[in-house]
């Protein structure tokens, strides 16, 4: 089994469901990422907010009080930290998302992106 824990990024930037959506957009841009895990107060995964999700802001005519919960994707594919890296890679190949959250006992502990796996593939080559 490939080492998921060795590939995942453990220091993950997250937002909460009550985070103002414009704050989340700023975090996406400042962090130079295309998506962020959305967590509850106990670090359980509530969803993911992506660039694709926030594109809906363009057609919005309401006030600026919208939160991440109104835009996030709530049904998220995630993997346990002990999952086989090949299974994660196959999931990323077969789906259109770019990252998967990694959990331990239901709580977010990391994230693996396509780029993380590509870097891992190149490690032996140097």
């Amino acid at each position: 089994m490939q080492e998921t824990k060795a590939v995942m990024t453990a220091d993950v930037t997250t937002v909460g469901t009550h985070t103002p959506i414009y704050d989340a957009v700023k975090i996406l841009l400042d962090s130079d990422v295309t998506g962020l895990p959305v967590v509850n107060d106990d670090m359980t995964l509530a969803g993911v907010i992506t660039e694709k999700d926030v594109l809906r802001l363009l057609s919005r005519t309401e006030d600026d009080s919208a939160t991440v919960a109104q835009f996030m994707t709530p049904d998220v594919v995630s993997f346990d930290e002990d999952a086989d890296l090949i299974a994660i890679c196959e999931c990323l190949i077969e789906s259109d998302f770019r990252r998967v959250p990694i959990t331990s006992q239901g709580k977010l502990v990391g994230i693996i992106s396509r780029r993380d796996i590509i870097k891992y593939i190149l490690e032996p080559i140097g």
Side-chain angles (χ1 to χ4, degrees):
M1 177 161 64
Q2 301 292 331
E3 192 61 43
T4 296
K5 289 182 212 175
V7 176
M8 74 179 193
T9 300
D11 185 21
V12 183
T13 302
T14 63
V15 292
T17 56
H18 299 294
T19 300
I21 190 63
Y22 289 100
D23 289 354
V25 172
K26 185 166 177 14
I27 293 167
L28 279 170
L29 292 173
D30 290 348
S31 300
D32 196 28
V33 295
T34 60
L36 296 167
V38 181
V39 294
N40 297 308
D41 292 338
D42 64 355
M43 289 304 288
T44 54
L45 193 60
V48 171
I49 187 79
T50 67
E51 289 175 332
K52 185 177 178 179
D53 295 324
V54 300
L55 289 177
R56 293 184 289 153
L57 281 167
L58 188 60
S59 64
R60 220 175 143 88
T61 58
E62 300 159 19
D63 65 72
D64 295 340
S65 65
T67 65
V68 167
Q70 295 167 272
F71 290 86
M72 72 181 192
T73 301
D75 299 320
V76 178
V77 173
S78 64
F79 287 85
D80 187 82
E81 67 181 346
D82 294 322
D84 183 38
L85 187 58
I86 298 298
I88 294 170
C89 190
E90 289 172 353
C91 175
L92 290 171
I93 290 169
E94 295 170 6
S95 67
D96 64 346
F97 38 84
R98 301 169 188 234
R99 79 217 48 81
V100 290
I102 307 299
T103 60
S104 176
Q105 299 177 356
K107 298 186 188 279
L108 182 73
V109 294
I111 197 162
I112 291 183
S113 68
R114 292 176 185 172
R115 183 164 299 243
D116 292 330
I117 295 173
I118 291 168
K119 287 178 186 176
Y120 178 77
I121 290 168
L122 284 178
E123 276 181 11
I125 299 171

